[in-house]
């Protein structure tokens, strides 16, 4: 019953919100965000706890302001995403303004493949639609398999309608397919700021240890593709902003594991720069830092603990396992 309700809710969003005038949809998003924020549920409290690490000198009042703005940003993402399939090509082209796009266009022109890695900042679906529309460049991404299956199918159909090739996160074949796309000179895009699996790479992130996926760095090493960190943000206008950071190079020395660690830390540093500049646009409503994942002795043994699932990672493409 819960799965059917969730699927129906998303279906209602895609069928109804996209028909609303843009100002009405924006007001609806703000209203929902403010209502959720006032209820102080687990997601909001987790967002504030994460923001406290990003802005360690923030007062409780400042953190509350940031989390309220964060929920508005998060709902803006959803309102835009529900409406994206109905946007015109010109609306998509004008909806995103990115700095240093030459890193991407030059990499594509070189024909060696490009990996875009980004955190949960802003609206990565809009950025992807801009790439397929403005740059007329298709790309491949990975999505977490959701329950119910019909919900996963909705997300796949939605992203494919925007010009993306979507691979399932599970099954182990995604990495090989991504590598083939890169060797053919293609583009792949991966959300890469959270990985709680055993294969995650430990990085220093805002002063503490977190895990991020090894996939982007491993793909760059294996295929010779260019690895580009990207950060996104809103600035109060109807146009989302973004920056393509300089490439993360493969170290000349070290084992594959050592190189992967160095490159993933470089991604984390680039992500931290964008998140610190625009903390209210970081949609991280889940636990991330290892210290936050440690269970209390009275609730679970260390070997049986599981990360929280306040919000399934359904909002964006995942990362290769």
């Amino acid at each position: 019953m819960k799965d059917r309700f969730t699927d129906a809710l998303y279906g209602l969003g895609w069928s109804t919100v996209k028909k609303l005038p843009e100002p009405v949809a924006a007001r609806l998003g703000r209203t929902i965000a403010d209502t959720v924020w006032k209820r102080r549920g687990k997601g909001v409290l987790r967002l504030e706890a994460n923001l406290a690490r990003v802005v360690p000198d923030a007062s409780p009042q400042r953190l509350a302001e940031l989390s309220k703005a964060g929920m508005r940003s998060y709902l803006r993402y959803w309102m835009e995403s529900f409406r994206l399939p109905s946007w015109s090509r010109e609306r998509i082209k004008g909806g995103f303004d990115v700095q240093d796009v030459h890193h991407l266009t030059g990499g594509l022109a070189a024909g060696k493949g490009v990996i875009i890695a980004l955190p949960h900042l802003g609206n990565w679906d809009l950025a992807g639609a801009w790439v397929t529309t403005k740059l007329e460049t298709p790309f491949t991404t990975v999505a977490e398999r959701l329950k119910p299956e019909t919900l996963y199918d909705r997300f796949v159909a939605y992203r494919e309608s925007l010009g993306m090739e979507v691979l399932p996160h599970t099954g182990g074949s995604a990495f090989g397919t991504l590598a083939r796309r890169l060797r053919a000179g293609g583009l792949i895009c991966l959300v890469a700021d959270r990985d709680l699996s055993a294969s995650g790479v430990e990085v220093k992130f805002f002063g503490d240890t977190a895990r991020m996926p090894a996939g982007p760095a491993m793909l760059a090493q294996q295929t010779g593709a260019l690895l580009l960190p990207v950060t996104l943000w809103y600035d109060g206008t109807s146009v989302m902003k973004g920056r393509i950071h300089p490439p993360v190079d493969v170290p000349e020395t070290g084992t594959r594991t050592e190189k992967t660690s160095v490159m993933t830390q470089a991604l984390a540093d680039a992500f931290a720069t964008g998140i610190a500049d625009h903390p209210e646009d970081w949609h991280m409503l889940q636990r991330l830092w290892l210290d936050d994942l440690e269970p209390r002795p009275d609730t679970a043994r260390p070997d049986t603990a599981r990360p929280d699932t306040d919000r399934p990672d359904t909002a964006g493409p995942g990362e290769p396992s």
Side-chain angles (χ1 to χ4, degrees):
M1 180 66 70
K2 180 181 178 182
D3 286 348
R4 288 199 297 270
F5 176 76
T6 301
D7 182 44
L9 190 62
Y10 281 102
L12 181 65
W14 268 301
S15 64
T16 302
V17 174
K18 70 179 181 181
K19 298 177 183 177
L20 298 175
E22 193 159 339
V24 175
R27 287 197 300 270
L28 176 62
R30 289 194 297 269
T31 299
I32 295 173
D34 291 350
T35 300
V36 172
W37 179 79
K38 288 177 182 177
R39 291 178 179 174
R40 310 290 293 164
K42 288 194 301 182
V44 173
L45 294 178
R46 173 48 49 194
L47 177 62
E48 278 190 15
N50 290 339
L51 289 171
R53 291 181 180 270
V54 175
V55 191
D57 58 346
S59 65
Q61 179 180 355
R62 175 58 177 154
L63 283 176
E65 292 171 350
L66 281 174
S67 67
K68 184 176 183 178
M71 292 307 299
R72 286 189 171 191
S73 175
Y74 184 47
L75 264 295
R76 175 173 171 174
Y77 159 78
W78 280 112
M79 293 296 112
E80 286 181 346
S81 294
F82 286 141
R83 291 174 53 77
L84 263 177
S86 66
W87 281 16
S88 68
R89 292 178 60 84
E90 291 308 311
R91 177 69 179 87
I92 292 173
K93 290 178 182 180
F96 181 43
D97 180 25
V98 61
Q99 302 170 11
D100 299 325
V101 72
H102 66 276
H103 292 306
L104 173 57
T105 54
L108 292 171
K112 295 184 178 181
V114 176
I115 305 160
I116 285 180
L118 62 165
H120 287 78
L121 268 173
N123 188 338
W124 39 95
D125 284 329
L126 172 55
W130 183 88
V131 168
T132 61
T133 304
K134 178 74 172 183
L135 300 185
E136 298 183 342
T137 302
F139 66 87
T140 303
T141 188
V142 179
E144 177 188 6
R145 275 204 174 276
L146 306 173
K147 292 184 179 180
E149 190 74 14
T150 51
L151 179 58
Y152 172 77
D153 291 341
R154 285 186 188 274
F155 272 93
V156 170
Y158 158 62
R159 293 197 168 104
E160 287 179 343
S161 75
L162 301 176
M164 309 177 193
E165 178 190 23
V166 182
L167 307 177
H169 182 273
T170 56
S173 62
F175 189 94
T177 302
L178 294 172
R180 288 193 294 273
R181 298 292 183 270
L182 292 170
R183 291 193 183 100
L187 172 66
I188 69 170
C189 300
L190 304 168
V191 174
D193 58 345
R194 183 177 187 267
D195 186 346
L196 303 181
S197 71
S199 62
V201 177
E202 292 191 1
V203 296
K204 284 298 180 182
F205 196 53
F206 291 101
D208 288 298
T209 304
R211 288 197 191 104
M212 294 186 182
M218 292 174 64
L219 283 165
Q221 292 176 63
Q222 187 166 314
T223 67
L226 196 67
L227 177 54
L228 297 175
V230 174
T231 53
L232 311 170
W233 67 92
Y234 296 119
D235 66 353
T237 70
S238 61
V239 179
M240 184 178 70
K241 302 301 191 294
R243 179 190 173 195
I244 301 177
H245 296 252
V248 173
D249 294 327
V250 178
E252 295 182 359
T253 60
T255 65
R256 184 180 186 186
T257 298
E258 291 169 342
K259 292 178 180 179
T260 298
S261 179
V262 170
M263 295 172 72
T264 306
Q265 182 63 62
L267 284 179
D269 293 342
F271 295 165
T273 298
I275 293 168
D277 288 342
H278 308 280
E280 67 280 5
D281 291 320
W282 190 40
H283 306 153
M284 186 55 68
L285 280 70
Q286 296 172 296
R287 299 177 190 268
L288 175 67
W289 284 272
L290 299 194
D291 287 349
D292 294 337
L293 300 176
E294 293 179 357
R296 296 190 302 272
D298 61 339
T299 59
R301 303 195 316 272
D303 60 339
T304 60
R306 294 292 183 270
D308 72 298
T309 54
D310 292 346
R311 178 180 67 92
D313 213 0
T314 61
E319 64 281 340
S321 55

